[in-house]
Amino acid sequence: MTEKNMPLWEVFIRSRTGLSHRHAGSLHAPDAEMALQNARDVYTRRGEGLSIWVVPSSAITASDPTDKDVMFEPTASKIYRHPTFYEVPDEVGHM
Amino acid sequence: MYAQALNTVTEVSKDDPAKLAAFQARIDAEEKIEPNDWMPEGYRKTLVRQISQHAHSEIVGMLPEGNWITRAPSLKRKAALLAKVQDEGGHGLYLYSAAETLGVSREELVDALHSGRAKYSSIFNYPTPSWADMGMIGWLVDGAAIMNQIPLCRTSFGPYARAMIRICKEESFHQRQGYEIVMTLARGTPAQKKMAQDSLNRWWWPALMMFGPSDSASQHSDQNMKWKIKRFSNDALRQKFIDATVPQGHFLGLTFPDPDLKFNEATGHWEHGEIDWAEFNRVVKGEGPCNRERIKARIKAHDEGAWVREAALAHAEKRAARKAAARIAAE
Ligand SMILES: [Fe+2]
Ligand SMILES: [Fe+2]
């Protein structure tokens, strides 16, 4: 195939006001503007979105899944970060 | 669908046994496997093959229906058919993207289809000579696809499962619009009813073949079940489809081209006659009524669209160059 590879883009869609953008999938397009248009056609054919972000896949830095334990372990022992760690008498009511 | 179980054998794994065991434990715990996670080579290969075959099926699947877009009997039917075919193109794109997360390029995948190395669902190698076929495809082919795709929403590979969820949401429209076309014909003039019946006679057996070889004949099912790529056997899905579809056909006053089809009161299932596996194998191997025509049409569309892709790239380059020049001028 003689064609130049089209860059890959990750598509994020905000489905309703007040919600954050969520990853919907990816697509190929020559530039950001065409990526947006393609994302409109591919991922929002039934009013799934109010706003679209497209990001070059190559611009994303991801954590390494093999480091998962080291990366997230420190939070496991910090139970005092959760509300249930603290005793509040029933008489005080909901807090 | 159209992730049809084709005759491909999963390779014996040469992976590290400790890693394999840890991987299987994740699968058993219903964890999703993501693209950057460690996975056995066989798992990766099986998924690339299955997801890309599925993507090719969506893309080739646009052809038999595309055949009728310009000849739909009303504007409403034309708009619906156009929207359905557009959805199928979208399904192909979601699936190609899912396959690409496993380290294959879109170009390689498309090339495999065009060169005849890759397979796609046998059903799309049958012709669509009448308008009733548009109804029959929606009702039966998309109906069979739904049966197969719903369990795939829980398949173990994350990107594939997420693509399937999106696809399943769109399939219900496909099946309902198809059934409505068949219903309209079945309640129409005697000639229209005959058209519907004739179409059902042609599509019933090929639709049953969409689920792939019977369990006794498919060698790679076990490993795929263990990896939870697949969750139900071919025969189990086929039975579900028959049980759901036969009453829908009878409701319209249509008959199925199977003299052995009968309801078993004891099991609560419809029993069917022998499927012609020789025909299935012929179609899968490229000898179906339209195999050559389909691939030819795909290659033609791809080649004739090359200038659009080239122009888009040239336009993007020009715009990037202009932006860069403006930045330099401003500095
Ligand atoms: Fe589809
Ligand atoms: Fe469909």
Side-chain angles (χ1 to χ4, degrees), chain A residues 3-4 28 31 45-46, chain B residues 87 100 309 317 319:
Chain A
E3 289 162 53
K4 236 193 263 180
H28 291 273
D31 67 7
R45 285 196 299 280
R46 289 179 177 78
Chain B
D87 275 355
E100 285 171 79
R309 295 187 294 278
E317 267 165 27
R319 228 167 10 193

Side-chain angles (χ1 to χ4, degrees), chain B residues 1-2 54 58 87-88 91-92 142 145 149 167 171 174:
Chain B
M1 187 162 214
Y2 317 100
H54 196 158
E58 302 283 355
D87 275 355
E88 305 300 4
H91 296 174
D142 289 84
Q149 289 174 166
I167 288 172
E171 289 292 358
H174 299 176

Side-chain angles (χ1 to χ4, degrees), chain A residues 21-36:
Chain A
H21 285 72
R22 219 177 135 182
H23 187 239
S26 49
L27 50 79
H28 291 273
D31 67 7
E33 219 164 301
M34 285 184 258
L36 263 183

Side-chain angles (χ1 to χ4, degrees), chain A residues 1 3-8 13 23-24 26-28 30-31 33-34 41-43 45-46 48 62-63 65 68, chain B residues 31 36-37 86-87 90 93-94 97 100 106-107 110-111 166 170 173 302 306 309-310 312-313 315-317 319:
Chain A
M1 219 164 268
E3 289 162 53
K4 236 193 263 180
N5 291 345
M6 295 243 181
L8 190 64
I13 293 171
H23 187 239
S26 49
L27 50 79
H28 291 273
D31 67 7
E33 219 164 301
M34 285 184 258
D41 291 343
V42 177
Y43 291 104
R45 285 196 299 280
R46 289 179 177 78
E48 292 93 334
S63 64
K68 192 174 71 195
Chain B
E31 271 184 47
N36 295 328
D37 295 348
Q86 192 189 10
D87 275 355
L93 293 178
Y94 309 153
S97 300
E100 285 171 79
R106 178 76 58 92
E107 285 78 4
V110 170
D111 195 52
R166 190 172 280 283
E170 301 182 341
F173 141 60
H302 189 77
R309 295 187 294 278
E310 280 159 19
L313 276 168
H315 181 64
E317 267 165 27
R319 228 167 10 193

Side-chain angles (χ1 to χ4, degrees), chain B residues 21-259:
Chain B
F23 178 81
Q24 191 60 49
R26 292 192 62 197
I27 299 270
D28 293 342
E30 294 292 330
E31 271 184 47
K32 288 276 182 270
I33 307 303
E34 296 297 338
N36 295 328
D37 295 348
W38 185 87
M39 61 185 81
E41 239 351 85
Y43 180 81
R44 180 186 301 276
K45 278 193 182 153
T46 303
L47 278 171
V48 168
R49 193 169 50 220
Q50 179 168 328
I51 301 172
S52 60
Q53 276 175 4
H54 196 158
H56 298 326
S57 302
E58 302 283 355
I59 297 296
V60 177
M62 293 194 284
L63 297 170
E65 287 177 296
N67 184 29
W68 279 91
I69 290 174
T70 56
R71 295 180 288 159
S74 70
L75 189 57
K76 175 187 139 188
R77 295 292 186 208
K78 182 174 178 167
L81 188 59
L82 196 55
K84 180 188 188 289
V85 171
Q86 192 189 10
D87 275 355
E88 305 300 4
H91 296 174
L93 293 178
Y94 309 153
L95 288 162
Y96 280 132
S97 300
E100 285 171 79
T101 66
L102 290 161
V104 282
S105 73
R106 178 76 58 92
E107 285 78 4
E108 286 171 68
L109 296 176
V110 170
D111 195 52
L113 174 67
H114 291 180
S115 67
R117 275 175 290 132
K119 294 191 162 103
Y120 57 88
S121 180
S122 55
I123 194 78
F124 301 116
N125 291 314
Y126 290 87
T128 48
S130 93
W131 168 251
D133 297 338
M134 297 303 98
M136 217 49 73
I137 288 182
W139 174 35
L140 300 181
V141 176
D142 289 84
I146 291 170
M147 282 300 169
N148 187 54
Q149 289 174 166
I150 286 175
L152 282 174
C153 293
R154 295 192 300 122
T155 194
S156 58
F157 185 57
Y160 192 24
R162 292 191 286 273
M164 289 321 305
I165 290 171
R166 190 172 280 283
I167 288 172
C168 281
K169 278 189 191 156
E170 301 182 341
E171 289 292 358
S172 164
F173 141 60
H174 299 176
Q175 193 186 18
R176 290 172 67 107
Q177 67 89 36
Y179 190 71
E180 201 196 79
I181 290 173
V182 178
M183 185 163 65
T184 306
L185 292 171
R187 291 178 177 170
T189 63
Q192 286 172 316
K193 186 166 179 185
K194 188 179 170 290
M195 199 185 193
Q197 183 61 57
D198 168 68
S199 177
L200 177 56
N201 294 348
R202 283 183 286 112
W203 288 94
W204 178 244
W205 290 107
L208 296 189
M209 293 174 196
M210 284 174 69
F211 296 92
S214 85
D215 297 347
S216 54
S218 85
Q219 331 93 306
H220 56 303
S221 239
D222 288 351
Q223 182 62 68
N224 290 355
M225 291 274 219
K226 210 175 140 213
W227 279 333
K228 296 191 180 164
I229 293 174
K230 212 177 148 85
R231 289 185 178 259
F232 293 98
S233 75
N234 295 351
D235 286 338
L237 290 168
R238 184 164 21 240
Q239 188 62 52
K240 266 179 110 156
F241 171 72
I242 294 171
D243 289 342
T245 309
V246 169
Q248 294 167 352
H250 289 163
F251 177 78
L252 300 179
L254 298 174
T255 57
F256 291 84
D258 177 0

